[in-house]
Amino acid sequence: MSTVVAEKRPSTLQGARLPKWFPYALAAGSIAVGVGISFAAGLDSSIQWGLIAAILFVVGTYVIATRVEGKRQAKDRIATSLVWVAFLLAVVPLVSLVWVTVARGVKVLDVYFLTHSMGVVADNEPGGGIYHAIIGSLEQVALATAMGAPIGVLTAIYLVEYGRGKLAKAVTFFVDVMTGIPSIVAGLFILSLMLQFDMQPFGFAGSLALAILMMPVVVRSTEEMLKLVPNELREASLALGIPKWRTILKVVLPTAIGGITTGIMLAVARIAGETAPVLLLVFGNPFINDNPFEGAQASLPLYIYQQYANSGGAEAAYDRAWAASLTLIAFVMILNLGARGIARWKAPKTGR
């Protein structure tokens, strides 16, 4: 008895596929061709080289994928390519900024620079430091956070948990308006109050303006985090006879604490680099002033601006400005890392 063996036919559902290394090879080839075209055309900017390489990568992906895999798969690949190109367009300037800041900031960034003020050192002379600016920034941002964060969180709780009717709509409208106001407007508002009461520049005035800028950011981020808390948790707590205020305090806020903390830190990062309100209200001071409620005070953003504006082209002032910029970036980074640690520590523990 003969056995008939059926011939195995290739599956018609599985089309030709490009290898996994194809995107990397095409990216390398696009960069090489882009650099060659740039040299041939006499283009000196690396930004132009990158844009040419990105266009070649996207076009090449579509053409080759269409010929090998078909138009449907080519559309998917070109969408993925556009996402990667957009990611690189966002990351490359950021990495370049950090690289330049670190390269130029480390020239004078040392213990002496961090522990001394400008004092009697002129802006166009070598020496001096940012100790007075660090104290001013820490005090002003801390005071602004102590005022802006609680008000922002409580406003968000009202809008999500209690807000109904015209008052809630009015609060939401003004929060949206405040989110987009320029920082100079907040500074002018506080300055008008200072002029009415014949007050001189002092650090707390800058904190008031920074708190105004901080509150809408905290309200919006906290509001979104509270909306993500499942209603079932609220209903379960209320069903046990627990009052609403206690439900918010013990159930809702602990569940959303990670996102709320992150939102507050984002707001702190925004106000930490503001210069215009500080320039109007704090005025700057080359000497150490650790009392934010009396006399002019320095801050890191204002110090950077003054070193650049009043340098007269002196290299020492530029170096101090870059070193202060690096310190400010490190300050914001430490805040964000601390916020992540607090959020992870306070987040509710989950288990199976």
Side-chain angles (χ1 to χ4, degrees):
M1 184 175 181
S2 61
T3 303
V4 178
V5 180
E7 182 180 357
K8 187 177 181 180
R9 296 181 180 180
S11 175
T12 58
L13 298 178
Q14 184 69 30
R17 298 281 295 178
L18 291 169
K20 293 183 179 180
W21 49 262
F22 164 74
Y24 306 103
L26 182 60
S30 300
I31 293 173
V33 175
V35 172
I37 294 175
S38 301
F39 273 118
L43 302 178
D44 297 329
S45 175
S46 57
I47 297 177
Q48 295 172 326
W49 299 357
L51 291 177
I52 293 174
I55 294 173
L56 291 174
F57 176 72
V58 174
V59 174
T61 298
Y62 181 75
V63 172
I64 297 175
T66 301
R67 293 181 62 88
V68 177
E69 300 178 335
K71 287 188 177 182
R72 185 173 183 178
Q73 189 66 23
K75 292 179 181 179
D76 178 73
R77 285 190 176 273
I78 197 172
T80 305
S81 301
L82 290 174
V83 169
W84 276 105
V85 170
F87 169 74
L88 292 175
L89 288 177
V91 169
V92 169
L94 177 62
V95 174
S96 176
L97 174 63
V98 173
W99 176 263
V100 172
T101 305
V102 172
R104 301 197 61 173
V106 295
K107 292 182 180 179
V108 296
L109 185 60
D110 52 19
V111 176
Y112 178 88
F113 182 74
L114 296 174
T115 56
H116 286 74
S117 66
M118 290 301 293
V120 295
V121 179
D123 290 335
N124 57 357
E125 296 178 352
I130 58 171
Y131 181 69
H132 60 304
I134 293 176
I135 291 178
S137 284
L138 291 176
E139 291 180 348
Q140 293 162 27
V141 171
L143 289 171
T145 305
M147 292 181 290
I151 295 175
V153 172
L154 291 174
T155 302
I157 292 175
Y158 165 76
L159 292 176
V160 176
E161 304 293 338
Y162 298 99
R164 301 292 185 274
K166 295 182 179 180
L167 179 59
K169 292 181 180 179
V171 172
T172 302
F173 172 75
F174 283 110
V175 168
D176 292 337
V177 172
M178 289 177 62
T179 303
I181 63 171
S183 59
I184 191 67
V185 175
L188 289 173
F189 172 70
I190 301 299
L191 181 62
S192 64
L193 297 178
M194 292 175 60
L195 293 176
Q196 289 183 2
F197 293 99
D198 195 22
M199 303 174 68
Q200 298 298 318
F202 62 111
F204 184 68
S207 299
L208 292 174
L210 296 179
I212 293 175
L213 297 173
M214 181 181 187
M215 281 187 286
V217 180
V218 176
V219 172
R220 273 287 161 259
S221 60
T222 303
E223 188 178 0
E224 295 302 321
M225 291 302 106
L226 293 177
K227 289 179 180 178
L228 294 177
V229 178
N231 285 327
E232 289 78 3
L233 295 178
R234 298 180 176 89
E235 294 169 356
S237 177
L238 295 174
L240 295 174
I242 300 176
K244 189 170 185 178
W245 69 268
R246 194 171 182 85
T247 299
I248 296 172
L249 186 63
K250 295 294 185 179
V251 177
V252 177
L253 287 180
T255 304
I257 190 64
I260 294 174
T261 306
T262 303
I264 292 175
M265 289 301 104
L266 289 175
V268 171
R270 182 203 169 181
I271 66 174
E274 290 292 347
T275 306
V278 179
L279 181 62
L280 284 175
L281 306 172
V282 181
F283 215 65
N285 189 350
F287 296 94
I288 298 173
N289 178 15
D290 55 4
N291 184 4
F293 299 99
E294 183 179 358
Q297 199 176 34
S299 71
L300 283 172
L302 182 57
Y303 177 88
I304 296 168
Y305 168 76
Q306 290 175 336
Q307 289 299 308
Y308 180 81
N310 304 328
S311 63
E315 190 68 22
Y318 290 150
D319 291 339
R320 286 194 294 265
W322 282 107
S325 301
L326 180 58
T327 305
L328 184 60
I329 292 175
F331 172 65
V332 174
M333 183 183 68
I334 292 172
L335 284 177
N336 280 276
L337 292 176
R340 289 179 180 273
I342 294 174
R344 182 172 296 182
W345 175 44
K346 290 294 185 179
K349 303 298 186 291
T350 59
R352 296 184 179 181

